[in-house]
Protein backbone atom coordinates (compact mmCIF):
# COMPACT_ATOMS: atom_id res chain seq x y z
CA UNK A 1 0.00 0.00 0.00
CA UNK A 2 1.31 3.43 -0.97
CA UNK A 3 2.07 5.93 1.78
CA UNK A 4 -0.69 8.33 0.67
CA UNK A 5 -3.29 5.54 0.63
CA UNK A 6 -2.10 4.31 4.02
CA UNK A 7 -2.35 7.79 5.59
CA UNK A 8 -5.83 8.24 4.11
CA UNK A 9 -6.94 4.85 5.49
CA UNK A 10 -5.52 5.62 8.94
CA UNK A 11 -7.35 8.96 9.08
CA UNK A 12 -10.59 7.23 8.03
CA UNK A 13 -10.20 4.56 10.72
CA UNK A 14 -9.47 7.27 13.34
CA UNK A 15 -12.68 9.03 12.34
CA UNK A 16 -14.73 5.84 12.65
CA UNK A 17 -13.15 4.97 16.01
CA UNK A 18 -13.90 8.46 17.35
CA UNK A 19 -17.53 8.17 16.23
CA UNK A 20 -17.99 4.81 17.96
CA UNK A 21 -16.36 5.83 21.27
CA UNK A 22 -18.70 7.21 23.90
CA UNK A 23 -16.63 10.24 24.93
CA UNK A 24 -18.48 10.51 28.24
CA UNK A 25 -17.59 6.99 29.20
CA UNK A 26 -14.23 5.83 30.52
CA UNK A 27 -12.84 3.38 28.03
CA UNK A 28 -9.78 1.27 28.82
CA UNK A 29 -6.74 0.86 26.57
CA UNK A 30 -7.73 -2.77 25.96
CA UNK A 31 -11.21 -1.76 24.83
CA UNK A 32 -9.99 0.95 22.47
CA UNK A 33 -7.34 -1.37 20.99
CA UNK A 34 -10.02 -4.02 20.45
CA UNK A 35 -12.23 -1.45 18.72
CA UNK A 36 -9.39 -0.28 16.47
CA UNK A 37 -8.56 -3.89 15.59
CA UNK A 38 -12.20 -4.61 14.73
CA UNK A 39 -12.45 -1.58 12.42
CA UNK A 40 -9.10 -2.33 10.73
CA UNK A 41 -10.31 -5.86 9.91
CA UNK A 42 -13.58 -4.40 8.59
CA UNK A 43 -11.67 -1.99 6.33
CA UNK A 44 -9.34 -4.74 5.16
CA UNK A 45 -12.32 -6.16 3.23
CA UNK A 46 -12.17 -3.04 1.04
CA UNK A 47 -8.36 -2.71 0.94
CA UNK A 48 -6.06 -5.70 0.85
CA UNK A 49 -3.84 -5.61 3.94
CA UNK A 50 -1.44 -8.35 4.98
CA UNK A 51 -1.02 -9.20 8.67
CA UNK A 52 2.06 -7.02 9.01
CA UNK A 53 0.27 -3.98 7.58
CA UNK A 54 -2.76 -4.59 9.82
CA UNK A 55 -0.56 -4.76 12.91
CA UNK A 56 1.34 -1.61 11.89
CA UNK A 57 -1.87 0.37 11.31
CA UNK A 58 -3.44 -0.81 14.59
CA UNK A 59 -0.33 0.24 16.54
CA UNK A 60 -0.10 3.57 14.71
CA UNK A 61 -3.72 4.49 15.48
CA UNK A 62 -3.53 3.27 19.09
CA UNK A 63 -0.33 5.26 19.68
CA UNK A 64 -1.92 8.37 18.17
CA UNK A 65 -5.06 8.08 20.31
CA UNK A 66 -3.75 6.75 23.61
CA UNK A 67 0.02 7.04 23.74
CA UNK A 68 2.62 9.42 22.26
CA UNK A 69 1.82 9.07 18.56
CA UNK A 70 4.87 8.62 16.28
CA UNK A 71 7.19 8.99 19.27
CA UNK A 72 6.01 5.74 20.88
CA UNK A 73 7.84 3.20 18.66
CA UNK A 74 10.99 5.34 18.87
CA UNK A 75 10.74 5.47 22.67
CA UNK A 76 10.19 1.69 22.72
CA UNK A 77 13.42 1.20 20.73
CA UNK A 78 16.03 0.47 23.42
CA UNK A 79 18.91 1.36 21.09
CA UNK A 80 17.76 5.01 20.86
CA UNK A 81 19.38 7.25 23.48
CA UNK A 82 18.21 10.73 22.44
CA UNK A 83 15.31 12.18 20.44
CA UNK A 84 15.54 15.76 19.17
CA UNK A 85 12.34 17.22 17.72
CA UNK A 86 12.79 20.54 15.89
CA UNK A 87 9.15 21.20 15.00
CA UNK A 88 6.58 18.75 13.61
CA UNK A 89 8.51 18.00 10.38
CA UNK A 90 12.06 17.59 11.69
CA UNK A 91 13.28 14.89 14.06
CA UNK A 92 16.80 13.68 14.81
CA UNK A 93 17.64 10.49 16.70
CA UNK A 94 20.82 9.37 18.45
CA UNK A 95 21.54 5.66 18.35
CA UNK A 96 24.82 4.05 19.43
CA UNK A 97 26.48 7.46 19.65
CA UNK A 98 25.53 8.49 16.10
CA UNK A 99 22.90 11.11 15.21
CA UNK A 100 20.76 10.92 12.09
CA UNK A 101 17.54 12.43 10.74
CA UNK A 102 14.40 10.32 11.12
CA UNK A 103 11.70 9.95 8.47
CA UNK A 104 9.03 10.18 11.20
CA UNK A 105 7.02 13.38 11.36
CA UNK A 106 3.92 14.59 13.16
CA UNK A 107 0.79 15.08 11.07
CA UNK A 108 0.53 18.67 12.29
CA UNK A 109 1.96 21.19 14.70
CA UNK A 110 -1.21 20.80 16.79
CA UNK A 111 -0.55 17.06 17.19
CA UNK A 112 2.99 17.72 18.42
CA UNK A 113 1.62 20.28 20.89
CA UNK A 114 -0.94 17.72 22.11
CA UNK A 115 1.83 15.19 22.75
CA UNK A 116 3.87 17.81 24.63
CA UNK A 117 0.89 18.76 26.81
CA UNK A 118 0.21 15.07 27.50
CA UNK A 119 3.81 14.59 28.72
CA UNK A 120 4.10 17.67 30.93
CA UNK A 121 0.63 17.36 32.48
CA UNK A 122 1.44 13.87 33.81
CA UNK A 123 4.20 15.33 36.01
CA UNK A 124 2.13 18.36 37.07
CA UNK A 125 4.07 20.81 34.91
CA UNK A 126 2.72 23.58 32.71
CA UNK A 127 4.03 24.91 29.42
CA UNK A 128 2.42 27.59 27.26
CA UNK A 129 3.25 30.89 25.54
CA UNK A 130 3.42 32.68 28.88
CA UNK A 131 5.76 30.01 30.31
CA UNK A 132 7.38 28.51 27.20
CA UNK A 133 10.21 26.47 28.76
CA UNK A 134 9.77 23.38 30.93
CA UNK A 135 11.67 20.31 32.11
CA UNK A 136 9.67 17.12 32.60
CA UNK A 137 10.11 13.36 32.52
CA UNK A 138 8.44 10.31 31.07
CA UNK A 139 7.12 7.40 33.09
CA UNK A 140 10.29 5.41 32.41
CA UNK A 141 12.44 8.23 33.79
CA UNK A 142 13.52 9.70 30.45
CA UNK A 143 14.32 13.41 30.71
CA UNK A 144 12.26 15.84 28.62
CA UNK A 145 12.95 19.49 27.77
CA UNK A 146 10.36 21.57 25.92
CA UNK A 147 10.68 25.04 24.39
CA UNK A 148 7.63 26.59 22.72
CA UNK A 149 7.17 29.58 20.44
CA UNK A 150 7.69 32.53 20.58
CA UNK A 151 11.00 31.54 22.23
CA UNK A 152 11.58 28.70 19.74
CA UNK A 153 11.34 30.25 16.28
CA UNK A 154 10.98 26.90 14.50
CA UNK A 155 9.15 25.23 17.41
CA UNK A 156 7.66 23.53 19.23
CA UNK A 157 11.00 22.00 20.26
CA UNK A 158 11.26 18.87 22.41
CA UNK A 159 14.41 16.98 23.43
CA UNK A 160 14.15 13.60 25.14
CA UNK A 161 17.15 12.01 26.86
CA UNK A 162 16.44 8.32 27.36
CA UNK A 163 17.93 6.25 30.16
CA UNK A 164 18.34 2.47 30.29
CA UNK A 165 15.62 0.43 32.01
CA UNK A 166 18.18 -0.80 34.50
CA UNK A 167 20.63 1.72 36.01
CA UNK A 168 24.22 1.56 34.89
CA UNK A 169 26.57 -0.39 37.12
CA UNK A 170 30.31 -0.05 37.68
CA UNK A 171 30.77 -3.40 35.90
CA UNK A 172 29.15 -1.95 32.77
CA UNK A 173 31.29 1.20 32.96
CA UNK A 174 34.34 -1.08 33.05
CA UNK A 175 33.00 -3.04 30.07
CA UNK A 176 32.47 0.18 28.07
CA UNK A 177 35.97 1.40 28.93
CA UNK A 178 34.88 4.42 30.97
CA UNK A 179 36.78 3.23 34.05
CA UNK A 180 39.14 0.39 34.97
CA UNK A 181 38.63 -2.30 37.60
CA UNK A 182 41.22 -0.61 39.80
CA UNK A 183 39.42 2.73 39.49
CA UNK A 184 36.05 1.14 40.24
CA UNK A 185 37.43 -0.34 43.48
CA UNK A 186 38.92 3.03 44.42
CA UNK A 187 35.55 4.75 43.81
CA UNK A 188 33.75 2.08 45.83
CA UNK A 189 36.02 2.76 48.79
CA UNK A 190 35.57 6.54 48.41
CA UNK A 191 31.78 6.22 48.51
CA UNK A 192 31.71 3.78 51.42
CA UNK A 193 34.18 5.93 53.38
CA UNK A 194 31.80 8.90 52.87
CA UNK A 195 33.98 11.22 50.83
CA UNK A 196 31.98 14.09 49.29
CA UNK A 197 32.16 13.58 45.55
CA UNK A 198 31.35 15.98 42.70
CA UNK A 199 30.99 14.68 39.13
CA UNK A 200 31.48 17.16 36.28
CA UNK A 201 31.50 17.11 32.50
CA UNK A 202 29.94 18.55 29.38
CA UNK A 203 26.48 17.88 27.97
CA UNK A 204 26.04 14.21 27.12
CA UNK A 205 29.22 13.13 28.90
CA UNK A 206 27.32 10.67 31.12
CA UNK A 207 27.20 12.49 34.47
CA UNK A 208 23.80 11.12 35.55
CA UNK A 209 24.70 7.62 34.36
CA UNK A 210 27.96 7.75 36.33
CA UNK A 211 26.16 9.07 39.41
CA UNK A 212 23.73 6.14 39.21
CA UNK A 213 26.64 3.70 39.06
CA UNK A 214 28.33 5.38 42.05
CA UNK A 215 25.11 5.20 44.07
CA UNK A 216 25.28 1.40 43.91
CA UNK A 217 28.25 1.61 46.29
CA UNK A 218 26.19 3.30 49.04
CA UNK A 219 25.52 0.88 51.93
CA UNK A 220 21.93 -0.40 51.86
CA UNK A 221 21.23 0.51 55.48
CA UNK A 222 21.72 4.28 55.04
CA UNK A 223 19.06 7.00 54.67
CA UNK A 224 19.40 8.83 51.35
CA UNK A 225 17.70 12.05 50.15
CA UNK A 226 17.77 12.72 46.39
CA UNK A 227 17.01 16.21 45.05
CA UNK A 228 16.49 16.91 41.34
CA UNK A 229 14.90 19.33 38.89
CA UNK A 230 13.35 16.39 37.06
CA UNK A 231 13.63 13.02 38.77
CA UNK A 232 15.89 10.76 36.71
CA UNK A 233 18.20 9.05 39.19
CA UNK A 234 17.72 5.29 39.44
CA UNK A 235 19.09 4.41 42.85
CA UNK A 236 18.31 0.80 43.69
CA UNK A 237 18.98 -1.44 46.66
CA UNK A 238 18.27 1.24 49.28
CA UNK A 239 14.97 1.09 51.12
CA UNK A 240 15.31 4.22 53.27
CA UNK A 241 15.29 6.70 50.40
CA UNK A 242 13.41 9.98 49.93
CA UNK A 243 13.10 11.33 46.37
CA UNK A 244 12.28 15.01 45.91
CA UNK A 245 11.69 17.07 42.78
CA UNK A 246 11.40 20.81 42.22
CA UNK A 247 8.14 22.48 41.19
CA UNK A 248 7.63 25.43 38.87
CA UNK A 249 5.50 28.41 39.84
CA UNK A 250 1.83 28.32 38.82
CA UNK A 251 0.19 30.76 36.41
CA UNK A 252 -0.06 33.30 39.24
CA UNK A 253 3.67 33.06 39.92
CA UNK A 254 3.17 31.20 43.19
CA UNK A 255 3.98 27.74 44.53
CA UNK A 256 7.53 27.44 43.20
CA UNK A 257 9.76 24.97 45.03
CA UNK A 258 13.46 25.29 44.16
CA UNK A 259 16.47 23.05 44.70
CA UNK A 260 17.54 25.49 47.44
CA UNK A 261 14.21 24.94 49.21
CA UNK A 262 14.58 21.17 48.95
CA UNK A 263 18.17 21.15 50.23
CA UNK A 264 17.16 23.23 53.25
CA UNK A 265 14.19 20.95 53.91
CA UNK A 266 16.30 17.81 53.51
CA UNK A 267 18.54 18.86 56.40
CA UNK A 268 15.56 18.40 58.73
CA UNK A 269 14.87 14.89 57.45
CA UNK A 270 17.84 13.18 59.14
CA UNK A 271 19.72 12.31 55.95
CA UNK A 272 22.94 10.33 56.05
CA UNK A 273 23.69 11.36 52.48
CA UNK A 274 22.24 13.99 50.18
CA UNK A 275 22.36 13.42 46.42
CA UNK A 276 21.72 16.54 44.31
CA UNK A 277 21.13 15.54 40.68
CA UNK A 278 22.66 18.69 39.19
CA UNK A 279 23.83 22.01 40.61
CA UNK A 280 23.27 24.98 38.29
CA UNK A 281 22.98 28.12 40.40
CA UNK A 282 22.70 29.67 43.84
CA UNK A 283 21.78 26.29 45.38
CA UNK A 284 25.51 25.47 45.22
CA UNK A 285 26.00 27.37 48.49
CA UNK A 286 23.31 25.31 50.26
CA UNK A 287 24.84 22.09 48.95
CA UNK A 288 28.32 23.10 50.16
CA UNK A 289 26.95 24.05 53.57
CA UNK A 290 25.19 20.67 53.82
CA UNK A 291 28.47 18.90 53.01
CA UNK A 292 30.21 21.02 55.65
CA UNK A 293 27.68 20.29 58.41
CA UNK A 294 28.07 16.58 58.91
CA UNK A 295 26.43 15.17 55.76
CA UNK A 296 29.50 13.37 54.49
CA UNK A 297 29.21 11.03 51.54
CA UNK A 298 27.08 13.46 49.54
CA UNK A 299 27.12 13.34 45.74
CA UNK A 300 26.30 15.86 43.02
CA UNK A 301 27.01 16.80 39.41
CA UNK A 302 27.61 19.95 37.39
CA UNK A 303 28.56 21.17 33.92
CA UNK A 304 32.25 21.93 33.40
CA UNK A 305 35.07 21.15 30.99
CA UNK A 306 37.66 20.13 33.60
CA UNK A 307 38.10 19.67 37.33
CA UNK A 308 39.62 23.16 37.68
CA UNK A 309 36.83 24.66 35.58
CA UNK A 310 34.25 23.06 37.90
CA UNK A 311 35.78 24.87 40.87
CA UNK A 312 35.52 28.20 39.03
CA UNK A 313 31.92 27.48 38.08
CA UNK A 314 31.03 26.64 41.68
CA UNK A 315 32.48 30.00 42.75
CA UNK A 316 30.30 31.76 40.17
CA UNK A 317 27.22 29.81 41.25
CA UNK A 318 27.69 30.73 44.91
CA UNK A 319 28.31 34.38 44.02
CA UNK A 320 25.02 34.46 42.09
CA UNK A 321 23.11 33.90 45.31
CA UNK A 322 25.28 35.32 48.09
CA UNK A 323 27.42 38.40 48.61
CA UNK A 324 30.40 36.62 50.11
CA UNK A 325 34.12 37.35 49.72
CA UNK A 326 35.74 35.15 47.08
CA UNK A 327 38.24 33.89 49.64
CA UNK A 328 35.42 32.68 51.91
CA UNK A 329 33.73 30.91 49.00
CA UNK A 330 36.92 29.14 47.98
CA UNK A 331 37.56 28.02 51.56
CA UNK A 332 34.00 26.71 51.71
CA UNK A 333 34.46 24.72 48.49
CA UNK A 334 37.85 23.36 49.58
CA UNK A 335 36.50 22.12 52.91
CA UNK A 336 33.23 20.71 51.51
CA UNK A 337 34.24 18.76 48.40
CA UNK A 338 36.75 15.91 48.73
CA UNK A 339 36.85 14.45 45.22
CA UNK A 340 36.07 15.81 41.73
CA UNK A 341 35.55 13.41 38.83
CA UNK A 342 35.69 14.80 35.28
CA UNK A 343 33.91 12.99 32.43
CA UNK A 344 34.03 13.77 28.72
CA UNK A 345 32.61 12.62 25.42
CA UNK A 346 35.55 12.17 23.08
CA UNK A 347 35.75 12.68 19.34
CA UNK A 348 34.90 9.01 18.68
CA UNK A 349 31.64 9.57 20.68
CA UNK A 350 32.86 7.37 23.54
CA UNK A 351 32.27 8.55 27.11
CA UNK A 352 35.39 8.36 29.27
CA UNK A 353 36.46 9.32 32.76
CA UNK A 354 39.22 11.86 32.17
CA UNK A 355 40.38 12.62 35.71
CA UNK A 356 39.78 11.83 39.36
CA UNK A 357 41.27 14.54 41.54
CA UNK A 358 41.39 15.14 45.27
CA UNK A 359 40.63 18.61 46.63
CA UNK A 360 43.48 18.98 49.11
CA UNK A 361 42.78 22.44 50.51
CA UNK A 362 43.08 26.18 50.10
CA UNK A 363 46.48 27.85 49.83
CA UNK A 364 47.73 31.26 48.63
CA UNK A 365 44.28 32.24 47.41
CA UNK A 366 43.78 29.09 45.31
CA UNK A 367 42.01 25.74 45.76
CA UNK A 368 44.62 22.99 45.44
CA UNK A 369 43.91 19.84 43.40
CA UNK A 370 45.75 16.53 43.63
CA UNK A 371 45.18 14.35 40.50
CA UNK A 372 44.90 10.68 41.48
CA UNK A 373 43.88 9.14 38.13
CA UNK A 374 44.30 10.75 34.69
CA UNK A 375 43.19 9.48 31.27
CA UNK A 376 46.06 8.92 28.87
CA UNK A 377 45.34 8.61 25.16
CA UNK A 378 47.57 6.07 23.43
CA UNK A 379 46.36 6.28 19.85
CA UNK A 380 43.51 5.33 17.52
CA UNK A 381 42.31 2.16 15.82
CA UNK A 382 41.90 2.14 12.02
CA UNK A 383 38.17 2.67 12.65
CA UNK A 384 38.87 5.90 14.53
CA UNK A 385 38.25 4.54 18.03
CA UNK A 386 40.41 6.16 20.70
CA UNK A 387 42.74 3.84 22.58
CA UNK A 388 43.59 4.91 26.11
CA UNK A 389 42.95 4.26 29.78
CA UNK A 390 42.80 5.85 33.21
CA UNK A 391 46.21 5.64 34.81
CA UNK A 392 47.25 6.09 38.43
CA UNK A 393 49.48 9.09 39.01
CA UNK A 394 52.42 9.06 41.41
CA UNK A 395 50.46 11.28 43.82
CA UNK A 396 49.38 9.86 47.16
CA UNK A 397 46.00 10.67 48.69
CA UNK A 398 46.55 13.53 51.14
CA UNK A 399 43.36 13.32 53.19
CA UNK A 400 42.99 9.72 54.34
CA UNK A 401 41.18 10.39 57.61
CA UNK A 402 37.83 9.15 56.25
CA UNK A 403 39.47 5.95 55.05
CA UNK A 404 40.87 5.42 58.54
CA UNK A 405 37.49 6.11 60.13
CA UNK A 406 35.94 3.50 57.81
CA UNK A 407 38.64 0.94 58.56
CA UNK A 408 40.32 1.24 55.12
CA UNK A 409 43.89 2.08 56.08
CA UNK A 410 45.68 0.48 53.13
CA UNK A 411 47.50 2.60 50.52
CA UNK A 412 45.29 4.80 48.37
Amino acid sequence: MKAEERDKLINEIKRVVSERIDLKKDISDEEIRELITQIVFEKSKQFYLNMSEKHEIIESIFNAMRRLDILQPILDDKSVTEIMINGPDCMFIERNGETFRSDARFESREKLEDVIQSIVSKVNRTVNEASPIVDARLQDGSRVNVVLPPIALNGPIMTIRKFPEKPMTAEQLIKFGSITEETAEFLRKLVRAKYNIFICGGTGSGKTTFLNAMSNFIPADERIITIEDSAELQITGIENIVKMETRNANTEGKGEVTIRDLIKSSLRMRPERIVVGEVRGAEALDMLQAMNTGHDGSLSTGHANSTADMLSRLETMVLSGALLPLEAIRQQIASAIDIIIHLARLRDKSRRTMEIAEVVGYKNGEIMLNPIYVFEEEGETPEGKIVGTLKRTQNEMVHRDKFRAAGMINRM
Side-chain angles (χ1 to χ4, degrees):
M1 179 177 280
K2 294 180 180 178
E4 290 180 7
E5 293 177 343
R6 179 181 176 278
D7 291 344
K8 186 176 179 180
L9 177 59
I10 286 174
N11 288 331
E12 170 64 15
I13 295 170
K14 283 182 184 177
R15 184 187 63 79
V16 176
V17 171
S18 298
E19 287 176 355
R20 294 193 192 180
I21 291 175
D22 182 354
L23 297 178
K24 295 180 182 179
K25 168 188 162 188
D26 288 333
I27 182 168
S28 68
D29 286 352
E30 291 74 18
E31 289 173 314
I32 199 168
R33 187 187 286 275
E34 190 176 320
L35 179 58
I36 293 168
T37 303
Q38 178 186 332
I39 295 170
V40 167
F41 274 85
E42 287 176 8
K43 291 293 180 181
S44 66
K45 295 174 183 177
Q46 303 170 31
F47 305 88
Y48 172 72
L49 298 170
N50 59 39
M51 286 306 296
S52 175
E53 288 173 324
K54 288 176 184 175
H55 176 73
E56 187 181 332
I57 289 172
I58 289 167
E59 288 302 309
S60 175
I61 295 170
F62 180 74
N63 287 338
M65 299 188 78
R66 277 298 169 98
R67 299 177 82 188
L68 297 178
D69 200 37
I70 61 167
L71 276 183
Q72 197 60 53
I74 301 171
L75 288 168
D76 292 339
D77 185 345
K78 292 180 174 56
S79 67
V80 173
T81 52
E82 192 127 16
I83 305 167
M84 295 154 275
I85 300 164
N86 306 333
D89 301 321
C90 183
M91 184 187 303
F92 286 84
I93 291 171
E94 182 189 70
R95 181 186 281 122
N96 301 323
E98 296 184 8
T99 302
F100 60 92
R101 185 163 183 167
S102 169
D103 294 331
R105 58 184 60 197
F106 289 88
E107 63 182 46
S108 66
R109 173 172 165 165
E110 290 71 25
K111 186 62 186 178
L112 172 54
E113 289 174 345
D114 288 345
V115 169
I116 288 171
Q117 294 299 337
S118 173
I119 290 171
V120 300
S121 64
K122 287 177 181 175
V123 288
N124 298 314
R125 298 284 169 104
T126 302
V127 64
N128 49 43
E129 284 193 8
S131 179
I133 301 174
V134 71
D135 288 316
R137 69 177 186 281
L138 299 180
Q139 194 172 6
D140 64 0
S142 298
R143 185 171 68 201
V144 181
N145 174 264
V146 174
V147 183
L148 296 184
I151 302 301
L153 302 182
N154 61 329
I157 307 296
M158 180 161 60
T159 309
I160 302 174
R161 170 77 58 82
K162 288 180 62 184
F163 295 101
E165 290 181 8
K166 295 181 180 178
M168 186 72 71
T169 63
E171 289 74 20
Q172 288 171 299
L173 290 178
I174 294 168
K175 180 182 175 183
F176 295 143
S178 178
I179 57 176
T180 63
E181 289 187 22
E182 179 189 337
T183 314
E185 178 60 17
F186 176 64
L187 292 173
R188 185 189 70 81
K189 290 178 178 177
L190 286 174
V191 173
R192 296 188 74 86
K194 288 197 168 185
Y195 280 83
N196 291 322
I197 300 172
F198 205 95
I199 301 163
C200 69
T203 301
S205 59
K207 296 183 295 296
T208 303
T209 299
F210 200 93
L211 182 56
N212 272 323
M214 294 276 286
S215 70
N216 291 330
F217 297 142
I218 297 174
D221 60 349
E222 294 189 3
R223 177 170 171 80
I224 313 301
I225 311 286
T226 68
I227 297 169
E228 301 173 83
D229 269 331
S230 292
E232 57 194 56
L233 290 173
Q234 299 169 290
I235 297 178
T236 59
I238 295 175
E239 292 184 0
N240 196 352
I241 184 168
V242 176
K243 301 179 181 180
M244 297 196 289
E245 182 180 66
T246 61
R247 185 176 69 188
N248 294 337
N250 60 21
T251 53
E252 298 173 353
K254 298 178 181 178
E256 182 183 20
V257 180
T258 66
I259 283 187
R260 295 195 76 171
D261 297 328
L262 295 178
I263 292 175
K264 290 173 183 176
S265 179
S266 72
L267 299 179
R268 297 188 288 270
M269 302 170 75
R270 198 190 167 276
E272 290 184 75
R273 296 179 194 248
I274 299 172
V275 180
V276 181
E278 184 176 335
V279 176
R280 296 192 185 99
E283 68 272 7
L285 177 60
D286 302 280
M287 183 202 68
L288 293 172
Q289 289 175 337
M291 289 178 170
N292 268 326
T293 53
H295 299 93
D296 287 336
S298 295
L299 304 164
S300 189
T301 75
H303 282 268
N305 295 320
S306 68
T307 52
D309 183 38
M310 190 67 248
L311 295 173
S312 298
R313 291 216 60 216
L314 281 169
E315 292 171 13
T316 305
M317 290 177 198
V318 174
L319 282 169
S320 70
L323 295 174
L324 293 173
L326 186 58
E327 183 177 5
I329 294 171
R330 288 178 175 171
Q331 287 176 340
Q332 182 95 308
I333 294 170
S335 62
I337 298 175
D338 298 312
I339 300 289
I340 298 183
I341 300 170
H342 177 233
L343 312 178
R345 191 174 187 190
L346 304 183
R347 60 185 179 275
D348 65 351
K349 309 300 183 184
S350 64
R351 296 175 173 88
R352 301 293 185 96
T353 304
M354 304 304 293
E355 184 179 0
I356 300 174
E358 177 190 14
V359 181
V360 294
Y362 178 76
K363 186 178 180 182
N364 299 327
E366 297 293 332
I367 300 172
M368 309 302 292
L369 287 171
N370 177 33
I372 305 297
Y373 285 90
V374 175
F375 179 81
E376 290 187 13
E377 185 175 328
E378 298 164 357
E380 284 187 20
T381 68
E383 296 77 25
K385 293 293 182 183
I386 293 174
V387 178
T389 187
L390 266 180
K391 292 192 176 178
R392 183 73 162 85
T393 66
Q394 297 299 312
N395 305 331
E396 294 282 339
M397 277 278 291
V398 175
H399 298 301
R400 288 185 274 185
D401 51 322
K402 291 184 179 179
F403 281 130
R404 293 191 190 96
M408 305 173 186
I409 311 174
N410 53 328
R411 179 182 180 273
M412 295 295 166

